[in-house]
Amino acid sequence: MQNYTSVTEFTLLGIPNTQGLENMLFVLFLAFYLFTLLGNLLIFLTILVSSNLHTPMYFFLGNLSVFDIFFPSVSSPKMMLYLMGQSRTISYQGCACQLFFYHFLGGTECFLYTVMAYDRFVAICHPLRYTIIMSPRVCTSLTLGTWLGGCLHGSILTFLVFKLPYCGPNEVDNFFCDIPVVLPLACADTSLAQTVSFTNVDVVTLTCFFLILTSYGHIVLSILKIRTSEGRRRAFATCSAHLISIFLFYGPVMLIYLGPASSPWLDSVIQVLNNIVTPSLNPLIYTLRNKDVKLTLRKVFTQMVHISGA
């Protein structure tokens, strides 16, 4: 791959029109990043140590917490380093790794949201068969499938982008390496790579989103058949957190890859929302709107206080 390129490193230009705001952005992004790590780690450990949360829904939520720890870690550390005044350069291999892991983890999370929607569909539409359909073996297989699907997705996109020669310029007009900002730097015809890569992203995104909508269409119809208002309220409550996370995840993705071309500043802001803000919101969404998680967290904190007091 490297025999065909003279570029050995790229320069990340960062978020446009933010000169002089580096210190404020560093503090802001560091706060979001630390909250993301601590919040998702807390949810993961709570699910891990609490036997009453060892169900398919929380198994998938635990996986989501893991992805929300890794996903912002693809771009945030490097961005915060150059906000502190460190070098903005990133090696050719580092840029390729950023693009791969961004789409590997993003694709995996996309598939995981689809699996979580299917889990809610089975729980609400087929409650008597839920434990049989969503057996531990099935849950493990579905989770493994999301990982493998995301890895294949990221590998295809990385190969398409970095099989092209890069011989300058080497300035990436964003705060991390992604397809829309790296492909234009290639000194060869990018039409095939651009068409195939964006088609890949579009197909994965739209297919997953369609399957999620299909699952929730059946869920809504089943909920409306519940006779008691309390039953309908509880059923909607179990799905609301997941729906909020879905729209927060898919909204920026569709704006970036499916929407019309916009300004570099707007693209960077949308990427910040997708990479940094959304992963930090999931712990709040799933704790504030989930009684089981709130009760378990309260028990864990109470036990920690008793242990520290003893």
Side-chain angles (χ1 to χ4, degrees):
M1 185 184 298
Q2 291 177 328
N3 293 334
Y4 298 97
T5 179
S6 58
V7 168
T8 58
E9 61 183 24
F10 294 93
T11 301
L12 301 173
L13 297 183
I15 304 172
N17 305 320
T18 57
Q19 290 77 13
L21 302 175
E22 287 83 2
N23 291 336
M24 185 189 74
L25 290 176
F26 171 76
V27 173
L28 182 64
F29 292 152
L30 179 63
F32 270 111
Y33 185 55
L34 291 177
F35 184 81
T36 299
L37 297 183
L38 295 174
N40 284 290
L41 183 62
L42 180 61
I43 287 182
F44 175 74
L45 293 176
T46 301
I47 293 172
L48 191 66
V49 302
S50 305
S51 58
N52 62 308
L53 298 182
H54 291 176
T55 63
M57 183 176 77
Y58 294 108
F59 174 74
F60 296 130
L61 178 57
N63 276 272
L64 180 64
S65 297
V66 172
F67 293 126
D68 280 339
I69 289 172
F70 289 138
F71 189 62
S73 300
V74 173
S75 59
S76 295
K78 178 63 179 177
M79 178 178 62
M80 286 186 287
L81 281 175
Y82 73 66
L83 286 174
M84 291 174 61
Q86 302 294 319
S87 174
R88 290 175 176 262
T89 60
I90 183 171
S91 68
Y92 180 89
Q93 295 84 354
C95 187
C97 286
Q98 267 197 343
L99 192 144
F100 168 74
F101 282 107
Y102 177 74
H103 286 281
F104 164 40
L105 294 170
T108 303
E109 195 159 352
C110 188
F111 297 136
L112 182 61
Y113 276 124
T114 308
V115 170
M116 292 173 75
Y118 175 71
D119 171 69
R120 292 299 81 210
F121 161 73
V122 176
I124 292 174
C125 299
H126 304 283
L128 298 179
R129 299 173 56 204
Y130 178 65
T131 55
I132 298 173
I133 296 174
M134 300 303 293
S135 64
R137 182 177 179 179
V138 170
C139 292
T140 303
S141 299
L142 288 172
T143 303
L144 183 61
T146 64
W147 280 86
L148 293 176
C151 184
L152 179 63
H153 175 67
S155 298
I156 291 172
L157 296 178
T158 306
F159 172 76
L160 287 170
V161 174
F162 286 95
K163 73 180 181 65
L164 297 169
Y166 290 85
C167 46
N170 67 338
E171 293 183 337
V172 176
D173 196 13
N174 208 334
F175 60 90
F176 76 108
C177 293
D178 194 16
I179 299 169
V181 289
V182 173
L183 261 185
L185 302 178
C187 48
D189 182 17
T190 63
S191 56
L192 178 62
Q194 192 167 6
T195 301
V196 176
S197 60
F198 277 91
T199 300
N200 186 307
V201 174
D202 293 351
V203 167
V204 168
T205 303
L206 291 176
T207 300
C208 290
F209 194 64
F210 174 76
L211 292 173
I212 290 170
L213 290 180
T214 302
S215 295
Y216 272 97
H218 286 90
I219 288 171
V220 169
L221 291 176
S222 295
I223 290 176
L224 292 176
K225 293 178 182 178
I226 299 175
R227 296 181 179 180
T228 63
S229 58
E230 176 64 19
R232 287 194 296 269
R233 189 192 63 79
R234 291 182 60 184
F236 274 120
T238 61
C239 301
S240 59
H242 184 222
L243 280 172
I244 293 171
S245 293
I246 287 171
F247 286 116
L248 286 173
F249 175 78
Y250 278 95
V253 170
M254 289 184 173
L255 287 173
I256 295 165
Y257 298 104
L258 302 180
S262 57
S263 68
W265 180 83
L266 183 58
D267 287 341
S268 294
V269 170
I270 295 171
Q271 289 281 21
V272 167
L273 291 174
N274 188 42
N275 290 17
I276 300 171
V277 178
T278 298
S280 70
L281 295 178
N282 278 340
L284 287 175
I285 293 168
Y286 283 101
T287 53
L288 294 178
R289 301 189 64 86
N290 190 298
K291 289 184 179 180
D292 292 334
V293 174
K294 283 194 289 187
L295 288 173
T296 304
L297 281 172
R298 196 172 293 130
K299 289 180 181 178
V300 169
F301 282 126
T302 302
Q303 290 174 355
M304 290 174 62
V305 170
H306 287 318
I307 291 173
S308 61

